[in-house]
Amino acid sequence: MLTPTWLLLSGALVWISNAQAAATTPPPNSRILNLLGAQGVNLWKLGKLRNKHNNNAIHNNNNNNAFQIQDGGASLLQPEVEPFEEQWFEQPLDHFSKPWSKHKWQQRYWVNTRHYKPGGGGPVIVLDGGETSGEDRLPFLNTGIVEILAKATGGVGVVLEHRYYGNSLPVSNFSTDALRWLTNEQSAADSANFMAKVKFDGIEEDLTAPGTPWIYYGGSYAGARAAHMRVLYPELVYGAIASSAVTHAALENWQYMEIIRNAADPKCSQRLESAIKTIDGLLAFPPSAGLIKRVFGLPDLENDDFAALLTSPLGYWQAKNWDPEVGSTGFDDFCEVLNGPVKFSHLANLPYEHSERMVEMPEGLLLDLAVVKYAYYIKKNVVSECPSEFSHEDCFGTTNDAKFQDINIDQDWRLWMFQVCTQWGYFSTAPPKTQPRIVSQLLTLEFQSKICRQAFPPGDHCIVPGLPNITAINALGDFSIAADRLAIIDGEVDPWRPMTPHSTYADDRQDTILRPFKLIPNGVHHYDEYGLRNMAQEPPEIRQIHEEMIHFVREWLKDWKAPEKSENHDRDSSVKTA
C-alpha cells in the first residue's frame, strides 16, 4: 500500500511527467457544450479567460501566429494561412416571413480563385462554416479539402460563414427572442439564396447555381447540413460531400463515450472504467462523497457538477488529428497519467485495487492509484483554471441560473446551445445501467439538459421546448439520407459516428461513384477536411481518401449539363417555403 508520506516524498512527478502536467482543460468549442451541458459553459468561460491571457502573452512576445480554436477541440497555434479577403452577401433575416424578410443582414464569406480559369467550366466548391467563426475554416480554403478539390477541378473555392456565427450577425444580442431565426431551415435557405445570387468580385462570368455546378462540403454539424442541402435544394446543389455528418439527431448521446471506451488504449479504458465505478460508489453516500470530492480538490461542489467535471479530459479524443500541426495529444497525455506510474512501473501491470496499488488518503480513505492520479490530473489541469478570486462554486457550479443568462454577443456559446436545445439534442448522458461506462451514472438527461431551461427563459416571441424537436432534423433523412452525388465520409473511431449514416444502427450501403460511402481507417472527426499542400506527404489513408474524393467529384462533373435557359431557376424563388 502507498501512503501519503510516499506521495509527499516522491512528489507527483513520480507518475506524471512535465509534459503530461502541461495538458489543460479543453478549450471553448461546441463539443464541450454537448458533452457537459451547463458544466461545459463553465469550462467555456474559463477557456475564454485563458485564451485572453494567452493572446496577451502572444501579443507581448510579438508572435505573429494567431491563437485558434478548431472544431475538433484542440487549442493550437495554427500555421499562417494565406490571407483571403472577407466579402459580404446580403441576406433577409427571415426567408419565410414577408414582414421579417425586409430586415437585412450581411453574411461573410471568403473566396479562393487561384485555380479559376474564365470560361473553364470549373465548379464552385463551397464549404459550410458550421457552428464556429468562418475564420476557423480558412485553413481548409488554403490547404484543406476546398483547395484540394478546387485545384483538381479548376474550380472556385468558398467558405460561407453560418448565420449568427463569427461576424455574420443578424441581431444585436443573443436573447431567446433574438435567436429564434437560428434554425436549420433558415440557415439552409441562406445557403440556397447565396448560391443562386452571389456575384464574385473580380469574376465577370455568372457562376451562380444552377448554371454552374456547385459542390457543397461540410464536416460534423455542417456535414449534416451538406447532406440536407442536397436533399432540400437538389436544383442548386449539384453534388454534396457530408463528412462526419450527424444526420441523426437524438436526445441522448451516450454512444459518444462508448466509441472512446472501445477505441482507447485498453489499459487506459479499463483504469478509467474502474475509477468511475469507484467514484460513483463513493458519491452514493454523503460521508464518502465529501471525502472523494476533497481528494479531487472540489469538496463543496454538488455531486452531479463534480461528476460532469470529471468528463472534461474525454473531450480531447475528438481533438485527435492525423496532422500533428492541428491535432491534440491531450487524450493520450491523460491516459499516460492514468496508466503510469513511471518510476514504479510494476504497479501499472497489477490488477485494479491490488493491495500494492492502494493509497491511504486522509481520514482513512483507501483508493486505487488510478483514482489518485485521476484526481491529480483534474486538480492540476481543471481545478487550477479557477482564478483565485473565485470560489469553486463560481467556476464549476451550475445551480445559479443567472450565470447562464448573459445575452451579450460575446457569449457565443449560446448559439450552438440554442440549436442543441431546439432541434439537435445530443445530450451526453451515462449509458444504460447494464452497460460498462467511463462516465458517471449521475450524467442524466435531466441534468445535462437543464442548461436549456437556465439559459433560455421564455421570450415574447420564442419559447424553447422542454426537449428539442429532433423530428424536424430526422425527417430530412436520418440514418438513411441518400441522393445521387451525395458522398458520405466518416471516421472509423469518430465518437460522432453513432449519429451518422455509418452508425451501427444504420443499414450498410454500397460504395459507388454516384453515391460514395467511405469509412477512413482509424479516422476520428472529419479527417478528410484537413490537407497538406503536398498531398504526397499525407498519411496513406488520408492521401487515399483525398484521391478517391477527387476521382468521384471529377466523375460527377463529367455528367453535368447546363440547364436550358427556359429551365433556369428563378433566383427570386431559390428558397423553399417552410
Side-chain angles (χ1 to χ4, degrees), residues 50-60 65-68:
R50 185 183 65 251
N51 290 354
K52 182 178 180 180
H53 171 77
N54 287 346
N55 278 330
N56 290 337
I58 290 171
H59 177 75
N60 292 336
N65 287 333
F67 190 89
Q68 300 288 341

Side-chain angles (χ1 to χ4, degrees), residues 399-415:
T399 58
N400 181 4
D401 293 355
K403 290 175 62 174
F404 309 107
Q405 294 179 353
D406 184 349
I407 63 173
N408 288 330
I409 59 172
D410 63 339
Q411 301 297 303
D412 54 3
W413 64 267
R414 295 178 63 82
L415 302 177

Side-chain angles (χ1 to χ4, degrees), residues 245-559:
V246 287
T247 57
H248 174 73
L251 296 181
E252 298 187 63
N253 186 17
W254 58 265
Q255 295 91 341
Y256 183 103
M257 294 301 179
E258 274 296 280
I259 291 287
I260 298 174
R261 186 181 71 83
N262 289 314
D265 168 66
K267 183 185 293 184
C268 176
S269 186
Q270 290 164 11
R271 295 294 191 221
L272 183 56
E273 186 180 327
S274 298
I276 288 297
K277 186 175 181 180
T278 295
I279 293 167
D280 268 355
L282 292 169
L283 290 175
F285 301 96
S288 57
L291 295 179
I292 188 61
K293 287 188 290 185
R294 189 172 293 114
V295 171
F296 280 78
L298 296 162
D300 301 321
L301 213 57
E302 294 291 333
N303 285 3
D304 44 16
D305 289 340
F306 170 74
L309 204 59
L310 300 191
T311 307
S312 58
L314 306 187
Y316 277 118
W317 181 271
Q318 188 177 319
K320 287 174 173 283
N321 196 280
W322 59 267
D323 183 356
E325 291 296 316
V326 298
S328 168
T329 62
F331 187 87
D332 295 333
D333 294 339
F334 170 63
C335 277
E336 194 172 340
V337 171
L338 217 59
N339 284 346
V342 175
K343 186 173 180 180
F344 296 88
S345 57
H346 72 284
L347 296 178
N349 297 319
L350 294 177
Y352 185 81
E353 293 190 338
H354 186 281
S355 60
E356 292 185 43
R357 289 181 53 87
M358 300 304 287
V359 181
E360 184 176 355
M361 306 303 294
E363 301 184 55
L365 185 64
L366 283 175
L367 296 173
D368 183 87
L369 188 56
V371 179
V372 178
K373 289 183 292 180
Y374 198 169
Y376 178 86
Y377 180 95
I378 293 295
K379 285 192 291 186
K380 179 71 175 180
N381 301 307
V382 182
V383 180
S384 65
E385 295 286 302
C386 186
S388 58
E389 63 269 27
F390 298 149
S391 70
H392 289 154
E393 180 64 26
D394 292 333
C395 290
F396 306 117
T398 67
T399 58
N400 181 4
D401 293 355
K403 290 175 62 174
F404 309 107
Q405 294 179 353
D406 184 349
I407 63 173
N408 288 330
I409 59 172
D410 63 339
Q411 301 297 303
D412 54 3
W413 64 267
R414 295 178 63 82
L415 302 177
W416 177 242
M417 189 57 72
F418 182 83
Q419 293 186 262
V420 163
C421 294
T422 54
Q423 291 188 306
W424 292 86
Y426 303 130
F427 299 107
S428 185
T429 58
K433 291 184 178 181
T434 56
Q435 295 201 197
R437 62 183 185 275
I438 57 174
V439 297
S440 173
Q441 62 186 357
L442 296 179
L443 301 185
T444 63
L445 179 60
E446 171 68 20
F447 173 73
Q448 293 290 61
S449 65
K450 74 174 184 177
I451 183 63
C452 300
R453 299 179 291 279
Q454 293 176 299
F456 306 110
D460 294 330
H461 307 284
C462 178
I463 297 177
V464 171
L467 288 172
N469 178 21
I470 59 174
T471 302
I473 301 299
N474 293 333
L476 298 176
D478 207 323
F479 290 129
S480 301
I481 194 167
D484 290 349
R485 297 185 302 280
L486 169 57
I488 303 294
I489 301 176
D490 290 301
E492 183 180 22
V493 291
D494 183 353
W496 288 96
R497 180 181 169 183
M499 301 296 136
T500 76
H502 271 101
S503 170
T504 56
Y505 302 120
D507 294 333
D508 197 13
R509 311 186 193 184
Q510 286 188 323
D511 175 25
T512 66
I513 293 294
L514 196 58
R515 296 187 175 193
F517 191 67
K518 299 181 182 296
L519 192 65
I520 303 172
N522 298 312
V524 187
H525 207 46
H526 48 84
Y527 263 27
D528 59 295
E529 195 161 7
Y530 303 84
L532 300 181
R533 181 77 65 188
N534 182 358
M535 277 178 51
Q537 296 177 351
E538 296 174 350
E541 67 276 12
I542 301 303
R543 185 169 66 251
Q544 178 178 334
I545 191 65
H546 285 159
E547 289 172 348
E548 291 176 352
M549 294 170 77
I550 289 170
H551 177 64
F552 68 64
V553 168
R554 282 175 170 170
E555 291 299 307
W556 290 353
L557 293 173
K558 289 179 181 178
D559 295 332

Side-chain angles (χ1 to χ4, degrees), residues 38-95:
Q39 189 63 276
V41 179
N42 286 333
L43 295 185
W44 181 96
K45 292 183 177 184
L46 291 175
K48 282 289 188 182
L49 286 176
R50 185 183 65 251
N51 290 354
K52 182 178 180 180
H53 171 77
N54 287 346
N55 278 330
N56 290 337
I58 290 171
H59 177 75
N60 292 336
N61 290 331
N62 295 318
N63 188 323
N64 292 323
N65 287 333
F67 190 89
Q68 300 288 341
I69 299 172
Q70 297 300 309
D71 177 67
S75 58
L76 303 161
L77 295 178
Q78 296 292 336
E80 280 190 40
V81 175
E82 181 175 319
F84 296 99
E85 183 180 353
E86 63 182 17
Q87 301 181 48
W88 302 91
F89 180 82
E90 187 175 79
Q91 294 279 16
L93 176 61
D94 191 329
H95 291 274

